[in-house]
Amino acid sequence: MSNDFDEQALRYHREPTPGKLAITATKPLANQRDLSLAYSPGVAAACRAIVDDPATAADYTARGNLVAVISNGTAVLGLGNIGPLASKPVMEGKAVLFKKFANIDVFDLEVSENDPEEFIKTVARLEPTFGGINLEDIKAPECFVIERELRKRMNIPVFHDDQHGTAIIVCAAVLNGLRIVNKELADVRVVCSGAGAAALACLDLLVKLGIKREHITICDIDGVVYQGREASMDEWKAIYAQDTEARTLGDVIGEADIFMGLSAPNVLKPEMVKRMAKDPLILALANPVPEIQPELAREVRPDALIATGRSDYPNQVNNVLCFPYIFRGALDVGATGINDEMKLAAVKAIADLAMDEPSELVAKAYGGNAARFGPDYLIPSPFDPRLLVRIAPAVAKAAMESGVATRPMEDFQLYRQGLLQFVYKSGLLMKPLFERARQSPKRLAYAEGEDRRVLQAAQQAADEGLAHPILVGRPAVIEARLGELGLRLRDGQDMTIVDVDNDPRFRDYWTEYQQIMGRKGVSPEDAKALVRTNTTAIASLMVRKGDADCMICGSVGKFHHHLRQVEELIGTADDVQSLSTITTLILPAGTFFLCDTHATPDPTADELVEMTVMAARQVQAFGLQPKVALVNRSNFGTHDTESARAMRRAVEELHRDHPDLEVDGEMHADVALSQDLRETALPGSRLTGAANLFIMPNVDAAHIAYNLLKALGGGVSIGPILVGARLPVHVVTESVTVRGLVNMTALTVAQAEGIATASAADQ
């Protein structure tokens, strides 16, 4: 990794609070009574209940939703045996993934013990604390012994993700790959490079899936695993020893249907791939460099289906596709373990999801270009919002049917609805926009190209393939600050500098500006002076004239000064009267959109209608179903102020002209979030559940609400997002962070790609 990326990673882990985890109370502690209920004497009631019935621990404590991620740091991916202390950032990262993807709480435990029996004793003693154990980064063959013994001794799920998470994803990829090439599991031959924990777990599950053991050949660092071999053998590897004279990978690869690599870079040579069977499936999973680069494999075998462990190639085998959801299903039925039936249920759920048509919301989030089942889409994207809703119920049902569920559930439909509600509160809405931007990066002009935050964001945009940055500013200043920050951007290569003092397009730009503004008191001399000094005007003119695809401005200076330039030089889209803004807040309670936080001081009824419709479209572009509340101090007619009347009229027009939009008002903000309160105030409201898009009565209310929620909510804000502009342009605020700029970069490029796609379709 580059030095600046390492420094960013260290800063991420260090600031504003060291580490990635914290403990948050889930109950109020606001007064003496709360304290009495939480601790003495009230806690005694919960203790006595658990003594009487240990199963109620899941009702009265966090145990039923608490997993331990445990490691001794002996086999950390890509780093090796770095020890328990150095492995802690990895384990904290795993904890974050559990919480983010499946709302599971985690304590990470790094155990300073390499002796398997002592490690087993330590972990087994923790059973009263946890609902499940996720073993992580423990070297083979000790990991086999540790997991086997812990599963015997503990009455909760014990899951070594390096083994079984990988195996589940690999099996889903194999199942779908064979579906595409029309081969039967029982007929195919498998050659495996690697005999570690993950490789052997993959093979074990493939056998349970239906592949014959006698059709599997393993190669490791000592060559083919054959009957009678003594070097580097163990009881787990010996199961797959074949009666053969072959001794190398090259000897056994001929006519193999599947190559599975969990070993080392570049061990599978192109000449070996040539000799594989028709329509071979190649899973080259070594990271970061696979056993063969996909490009090399396709050169010699265009018919090959290929998966890797990398995110920059199709068919990424990523454990996050399954481990959070398997534990979610297991915990929710109080499973005493994770058995083969549950793992196979996860395999089938993942494979079947890849074959499904993308949902309407998923397709919208990916700009209508969501991947579809085929050679380059054997397994779902790790960010498909349906993963939790598909895998967790399948695992829970398998646990019940196989007899390991201690709290079986009856209403799976209700269970899925609860999971779906969490999915759309999880704050993953930016990921599809990043993916869409990477698919078609655009030329993005950063008006404040000298700003240090802009330069850092531009570096990230270039590194991640989101955009080709165009930096508007003075070259000497930009180059000096790039050096000061240790950034690697190079003019004319991975970015372009627009020299405000000496650009050959200066005459074209000031002439264009004067033609636009000439009847607003701007003389040619005024136009020349402004286009020399106003970087927002320069960037806007670049987008207007097609020299850039999109732009971001506003990190320096007042928002309304930038907005005025955008209004004058970019203008509004067809049939749009005025620009407005939405600010997105990703909070622990969910993802919410506030409109209009920056642009429209006191919206009329007509403006409220227009901004509601445009804001709802933006929410849909994130892949969410808009649930719109027009909020006010008036609650369904309790007040007759001017703003309340404007909202009432707007709601009437929205109900009449946009009957498919789920919208209601005017209402209090708490009523917008609570269906129970809404039913009390106005039974039969058009809005169901909690609103996620709030149309505010004026910009003051919107801005105050936004800043309060941002300060108190402990979440992330995105925006302001400008809606209604003719071209993809956004105006950020002076307080924007580097992270905020990167998010806005992905959003802006994704919008530019959508406009380009729509334009091409119209031609």
Side-chain angles (χ1 to χ4, degrees), residues 293-532:
Q293 295 289 351
E295 299 90 341
L296 291 177
R298 284 226 165 86
E299 278 182 18
V300 295
R301 292 302 298 269
D303 59 335
L305 282 68
I306 304 171
T308 70
R310 291 174 45 153
S311 61
D312 53 346
Y313 289 109
N315 300 322
Q316 183 193 15
V317 174
N318 187 333
N319 288 14
V320 79
L321 270 168
C322 72
F323 73 80
Y325 316 122
I326 287 172
F327 269 98
R328 180 74 279 156
L331 292 172
D332 288 340
V333 293
T336 57
I338 296 176
N339 56 28
D340 291 338
E341 291 87 348
M342 295 160 74
K343 288 185 280 188
L344 290 172
V347 169
K348 187 175 187 305
I350 293 167
D352 288 350
L353 178 56
M355 295 179 68
D356 280 4
E357 291 291 318
S359 72
E360 180 184 2
L361 291 178
V362 172
K364 283 181 178 177
Y366 283 89
N369 297 319
R372 296 175 184 272
F373 182 63
D376 287 335
Y377 195 72
L378 299 176
I379 46 181
S381 160
F383 293 91
D384 191 316
R386 297 168 294 177
L387 282 164
L388 177 63
V389 182
R390 296 293 186 85
I391 299 173
V395 170
K397 188 174 182 180
M400 290 166 55
E401 292 174 351
S402 60
V404 298
T406 62
R407 297 192 304 275
M409 62 180 67
E410 295 181 3
D411 192 339
F412 269 86
Q413 184 61 30
L414 184 63
Y415 178 50
R416 289 187 183 93
Q417 289 175 1
L419 295 174
L420 191 62
Q421 287 179 0
F422 167 74
V423 166
Y424 291 113
K425 289 180 181 178
S426 62
L428 295 172
L429 79 165
M430 284 303 299
K431 183 61 182 176
L433 298 182
F434 274 80
E435 293 297 327
R436 189 174 175 189
R438 288 191 191 98
Q439 290 170 8
S440 184
K442 303 297 181 185
R443 300 166 300 165
L444 189 147
Y446 294 97
E448 291 81 33
E450 298 176 3
D451 188 323
R452 289 173 174 82
R453 294 164 298 169
V454 167
L455 293 173
Q456 290 174 311
Q459 181 71 70
Q460 292 185 37
D463 286 346
E464 296 188 29
L466 300 175
H468 178 84
I470 300 172
L471 304 174
V472 181
R474 294 163 293 176
V477 175
I478 291 173
E479 294 290 356
R481 289 180 179 172
L482 288 171
E484 173 192 323
L485 295 167
L487 302 178
R488 294 165 284 104
L489 290 171
R490 295 294 176 264
D491 188 19
Q493 297 179 26
D494 37 20
M495 61 94 170
T496 300
I497 295 176
V498 173
D499 185 353
V500 295
D501 294 326
N502 186 29
D503 190 281
R505 296 165 294 191
F506 174 65
R507 180 178 179 81
D508 289 342
Y509 284 1
W510 75 254
T511 301
E512 180 85 4
Y513 187 83
Q514 203 276 327
Q515 288 175 349
I516 298 167
M517 302 296 294
R519 293 187 180 274
K520 297 183 180 180
V522 176
S523 69
E525 291 304 313
D526 293 335
K528 289 178 186 179
L530 187 138
V531 174
R532 283 285 190 208

Side-chain angles (χ1 to χ4, degrees), residues 36-361:
S36 298
L37 292 170
Y39 200 54
S40 181
V43 72
C47 294
R48 287 192 296 268
I50 296 170
V51 169
D52 294 339
D53 182 2
T56 61
D59 299 321
Y60 301 123
T61 75
R63 182 176 185 261
N65 194 50
L66 186 61
V67 166
V69 172
I70 302 181
S71 181
N72 60 9
T74 53
V76 178
L77 181 64
L79 299 172
N81 187 353
I82 60 175
L85 183 59
S87 78
K88 187 171 178 64
V90 180
M91 304 312 132
E92 285 190 357
K94 192 69 176 279
V96 169
L97 295 179
F98 266 108
K99 187 66 177 178
K100 192 71 170 178
F101 285 95
N103 199 29
I104 293 173
D105 296 318
V106 166
F107 291 158
D108 64 290
L109 301 174
E110 294 72 36
V111 180
S112 182
E113 182 56 71
N114 288 354
D115 177 77
E117 181 55 34
E118 292 303 313
F119 187 91
I120 290 164
K121 289 178 181 177
T122 299
V123 176
R125 290 172 180 141
L126 298 171
E127 183 171 348
T129 302
F130 297 102
I133 304 291
N134 184 101
L135 299 172
E136 192 76 13
D137 292 348
I138 303 169
K139 71 182 181 74
E142 288 90 335
C143 63
F144 300 126
V145 176
I146 288 169
E147 186 189 41
R148 181 179 63 193
E149 291 304 311
L150 286 174
R151 291 180 66 181
K152 289 179 182 176
R153 301 185 194 190
M154 303 182 80
N155 206 36
I156 57 175
V158 177
F159 188 81
H160 185 205
D161 183 47
D162 299 332
Q163 292 184 60
H164 308 298
T166 304
I168 288 165
I169 309 305
V170 163
C171 284
V174 168
L175 192 61
N176 278 348
L178 296 183
R179 281 170 169 166
I180 287 175
V181 299
N182 198 28
K183 293 182 181 180
E184 297 295 327
L185 286 160
D187 298 333
V188 296
R189 287 187 60 247
V190 179
V191 171
C192 178
S193 175
L200 292 171
C202 288
L203 295 176
D204 289 347
L205 198 58
L206 284 171
V207 170
K208 293 181 175 70
L209 196 64
I211 290 178
K212 294 181 179 178
R213 193 183 305 273
E214 58 267 28
H215 289 177
I216 297 172
T217 304
I218 297 178
C219 298
D220 62 9
I221 196 169
D222 292 304
V224 172
V225 174
Y226 60 88
Q227 290 181 7
R229 198 184 94 170
E230 296 181 359
S232 304
M233 292 297 288
D234 56 53
E235 61 180 284
W236 297 275
K237 197 184 300 184
I239 294 171
Y240 294 97
Q242 299 292 353
D243 183 8
T244 178
E245 297 297 319
R247 294 295 181 264
T248 69
L249 177 60
D251 293 339
V252 296
I253 196 67
E255 293 304 310
D257 298 282
I258 299 171
F259 170 83
M260 187 177 73
L262 291 120
S263 53
N266 303 317
V267 298
L268 183 65
K269 307 301 181 185
E271 56 269 24
M272 297 180 186
V273 176
K274 278 185 181 179
R275 296 190 284 113
M276 292 183 70
K278 182 179 182 294
D279 300 321
L281 176 59
I282 298 172
L283 298 108
L285 306 181
N287 238 336
V289 181
E291 284 79 2
I292 187 170
Q293 295 289 351
E295 299 90 341
L296 291 177
R298 284 226 165 86
E299 278 182 18
V300 295
R301 292 302 298 269
D303 59 335
L305 282 68
I306 304 171
T308 70
R310 291 174 45 153
S311 61
D312 53 346
Y313 289 109
N315 300 322
Q316 183 193 15
V317 174
N318 187 333
N319 288 14
V320 79
L321 270 168
C322 72
F323 73 80
Y325 316 122
I326 287 172
F327 269 98
R328 180 74 279 156
L331 292 172
D332 288 340
V333 293
T336 57
I338 296 176
N339 56 28
D340 291 338
E341 291 87 348
M342 295 160 74
K343 288 185 280 188
L344 290 172
V347 169
K348 187 175 187 305
I350 293 167
D352 288 350
L353 178 56
M355 295 179 68
D356 280 4
E357 291 291 318
S359 72
E360 180 184 2
L361 291 178

